[in-house]
Amino acid sequence: MGEKIIGYESGISRFFCIKELITFASMKKVFVLLLLITTCTTKQNKNQEVSAIDIVKEDSIKIVSDSVISVIPVVKVEANDSLNCIAQLISGQYNGSLYLNVTENKSYKNFSEKFSKRWANFDSSRIQKLKKFSENELNNEIIKQTTLFYPFSGPDILYANLFFPDVEKYILIGLEPVGTLPDFKLQEGDSLKQYYEKLNTSLNAILKFSFFRTESMRKDLKNQEVDGTIHLLFLFLSKTGNGLISAKPISIDSLGNKEYVSSFKELKLSKYKSKGVEIVFMSPENKIKELNYYSLNLIDDALERDKGFTAYLENLKNFNAYLKGASYLLHKSYFSFVRNIILNNANTIVQDDSGIALRYFTKSKRAWDFKLYGEYTKPVSLFRNAYQKNLDTLYKKNGATPLGFGIGYNFKDKNSNLMIVKRK
């Protein structure tokens, strides 16, 4: 009957754990309340490129009452100052003195000033509306789960976190590579100019249209300066007030288990079928969360050749799914594996019309409830063949709640659609 509560000292740099254990004696009308508060110890792991969450379990701490013996794990979590410095430099909001070679550079100053204004406008025009929708609609409608599955996401932790702020684990999948962290201590002059120019370009679509363009990402996240999603993952996490705790390069082994790689450089040069990054962070609400991003192709043929990742997907149970700007791939017969994982195991699916086609819900063995938002119009010309007459009929028959913001390929407010689909 124990309950663990994570407490915090000053800021994010130091935490302590409060362990509360309540045991009730079998004696008539008598109960014993025991409260144990322990400060936590930590253990340095020197073999990792970036320090990860260090969990230390001390099984010698026990409480004995009557016949009840309880073993209390002791856990300590520390923020990683080095990672947070890097994230703040990427997002243009570093105020320290360790990287004067960067912060005194004209390119950094220009990026920091312009991106700060750009973000302020984005916050007032988009983020506040997304948060309101999450609080008023998603919070009341979805079947809450601890895991969010977001395939075809690219590095879009931004919308995932805004729509699902209570999730403990985010699983994102895209074609874009993981990349390596920049070494700002070695960068100066033209290298910084090129870095911030490429970084700024990679942000254009998500901030303007709400989604990453696949074709653009092939260029924007595959160059020498900004070589993968980790740059934007760090930027969005930092800019939305999260504190980074660890970042580890990962892969999935042949049995579907997560395994850690010694460095991001090794991961980049490796021939692993699935390459990823695990980022542990603390939210502004002092909740510790985990983000897993995997770089791989989810088409059926590719998954058939990767038994390890198919096992990983099959092990996902009782999650919620988010689908946005998904190129209508889940309409296709050759994306059946990941589609069936979602239909069979998700409890709530939040998607625009580019997600799972309505016909697959009606054929599913499970019964579903639909709540519709916005307007369903014909898809943009690039995806004109993905028009769903039955979805149009459903919108006209059931009616829809106004959305109040633009999202997806039809990103203008009056053209956007979104639906919450949950199991009955």
Side-chain angles (χ1 to χ4, degrees), residues 197-216:
E197 285 179 351
K198 296 287 178 62
L199 185 65
N200 191 56
T201 300
S202 69
L203 291 165
N204 286 336
I206 186 69
L207 297 182
K208 185 176 181 180
F209 306 122
S210 84
F211 58 90
F212 286 105
R213 289 174 165 173
T214 303
E215 289 299 322
S216 297

Side-chain angles (χ1 to χ4, degrees), residues 204-243:
N204 286 336
I206 186 69
L207 297 182
K208 185 176 181 180
F209 306 122
S210 84
F211 58 90
F212 286 105
R213 289 174 165 173
T214 303
E215 289 299 322
S216 297
M217 287 291 97
R218 288 176 182 173
K219 293 189 306 179
D220 296 340
L221 297 181
K222 287 187 178 180
N223 55 76
Q224 184 176 348
E225 291 80 17
V226 182
D227 62 351
T229 58
I230 194 168
H231 302 262
L232 297 186
L233 294 175
F234 269 42
L235 181 145
F236 289 134
L237 287 174
S238 179
K239 203 66 180 173
T240 49
N242 299 284

Side-chain angles (χ1 to χ4, degrees), residues 100-113 189 192-193 196:
L100 294 179
N101 64 306
V102 178
T103 56
E104 292 183 354
N105 184 276
K106 182 179 179 181
S107 297
Y108 174 82
K109 290 179 179 179
N110 288 340
F111 173 80
S112 179
E113 181 181 353
L192 284 171
K193 181 176 185 293
Y196 285 110

